[in-house]
Amino acid sequence: MIPSQPFNVSLGNFSREKLADENFNIPGNIDLLLGAEIFYEILLPGQTNLLNTKLIFQNTVFGYIASGSIPVSSENKPHCGLIKDNVDLEKTTRRFFWGEIENVEPETIKNKETIICEEHFKKNHTRDSTGRYIVSMPFKKDPNCLGQSKDIALKKLNSLWNSLKREPNYLKLYRDFLKEYKELGHMQEVDEREECGMYFIPHLGVYRSDKKTSKLRVVFNASSATTNGYSLNSLQYNGGVAQNDLFNNGSL
């Protein structure tokens, strides 16, 4: 049922607009699933944030569709789990009700690299005066094997500056980011005499002028290859994805 529970909402002046579902705030069965491959074909210009709510209304060929988050009651939250046999049932139920576990989901099987990364973290992490965790990179190869990277990074930097010059606001946001990054101690100037053996990470900005917040997101590309084909990321163990997949297929 979508939504999971009814909720009250005042549309105000927006009530004059055509809605794809007039009863979007009342739980109901899903009528139709549309594949992601046609999702953008139904979108039309027009998006509205409903005042004093976290709801967003997007215009489509069917009318405005509502999305966002609503207050959810903490009561009546069902849990469904799979128990393989009676032995597991007795053991798991006892552990669950005595507080030894918070859920009855099976443990995720860890691959070799995940185990290596966890052991590396346990042996090498520290915390600074602010409480932040500090840990050395989990290298599987000596970083001295990296080739030259400065010329590649400079070429990409020059291309970035050309893009920034064409967008004054983009340029201002990027300068503000670099200033803050330096003030936070995340970067410092390097003497040319110290550059030997260093890996230069190219960076670029993802600029969205239409966003109300976070118009600029800076991305550091540690997968950029050096002259011998190696990159910083290619020398490190991959600990895997910590979060569960949001979707297990390409359709909504």
Side-chain angles (χ1 to χ4, degrees), residues 18-211:
K18 178 186 176 183
L19 300 179
D21 180 7
E22 297 287 346
N23 299 315
F24 69 91
N25 60 323
I26 301 174
N29 292 322
I30 296 173
D31 298 312
L32 179 68
L33 293 177
L34 298 178
E37 68 275 8
I38 66 168
F39 173 71
Y40 291 98
E41 295 183 21
I42 71 170
L43 298 183
L44 295 177
Q47 188 181 93
T48 300
N49 293 73
L50 198 60
L51 188 64
N52 298 323
T53 74
K54 294 183 179 180
L55 293 177
I56 298 176
F57 288 87
Q58 172 65 52
N59 196 12
T60 73
V61 295
F62 306 114
Y64 280 88
I65 57 175
S67 65
S69 60
I70 60 173
V72 178
S73 171
S74 60
E75 299 178 0
N76 300 324
K77 287 189 176 180
H79 179 89
C80 179
L82 173 64
I83 304 299
K84 292 183 291 186
D85 53 50
N86 290 334
V87 176
D88 282 348
L89 174 61
E90 180 183 356
K91 179 181 177 181
T92 306
T93 304
R94 184 168 56 250
R95 292 180 62 203
F96 180 75
F97 281 101
W98 283 99
E100 297 177 23
I101 56 174
E102 295 182 357
N103 57 58
V104 293
E105 302 295 340
E107 293 186 4
T108 303
I109 299 175
K110 300 175 182 177
N111 59 35
K112 181 179 178 181
E113 288 203 5
T114 300
I115 296 173
I116 291 175
C117 288
E118 289 184 357
E119 290 300 319
H120 175 84
F121 178 82
K122 292 176 183 178
K123 295 177 181 178
N124 296 281
H125 81 275
T126 57
R127 298 187 75 175
D128 62 15
S129 57
T130 65
R132 291 181 176 178
Y133 284 93
I134 302 172
V135 62
S136 61
M137 293 182 177
F139 286 116
K140 55 185 175 183
K141 287 187 178 181
D142 190 331
N144 289 326
C145 72
L146 288 169
Q148 299 298 315
S149 58
K150 183 177 180 180
D151 290 342
I152 299 173
L154 282 175
K155 183 178 179 180
K156 294 182 179 181
L157 179 62
N158 290 332
S159 176
L160 171 63
W161 281 121
N162 290 332
S163 299
L164 294 175
K165 291 175 183 177
R166 293 192 292 268
E167 290 276 356
N169 191 48
Y170 185 13
L171 175 61
K172 180 183 181 302
L173 289 172
Y174 217 98
R175 281 177 169 165
D176 291 344
F177 164 78
L178 292 176
K179 180 182 178 182
E180 181 184 24
Y181 208 68
K182 184 176 181 180
E183 291 174 348
L184 292 173
H186 298 329
M187 70 176 182
Q188 62 185 29
E189 187 174 356
V190 176
D191 192 291
E192 289 186 1
R193 294 170 294 182
E194 302 174 349
E195 291 180 359
C196 182
M198 286 189 174
Y199 178 75
F200 292 84
I201 304 179
H203 53 89
L204 56 90
V206 179
Y207 177 58
R208 293 285 303 274
S209 59
D210 58 320
K211 291 286 187 179

Side-chain angles (χ1 to χ4, degrees), residues 211-228:
K211 291 286 187 179
K212 293 184 178 180
T213 59
S214 304
K215 295 179 181 292
L216 174 67
R217 179 169 59 90
V218 177
V219 179
F220 291 86
N221 183 17
S223 294
S224 177
T226 61
T227 51
N228 63 7

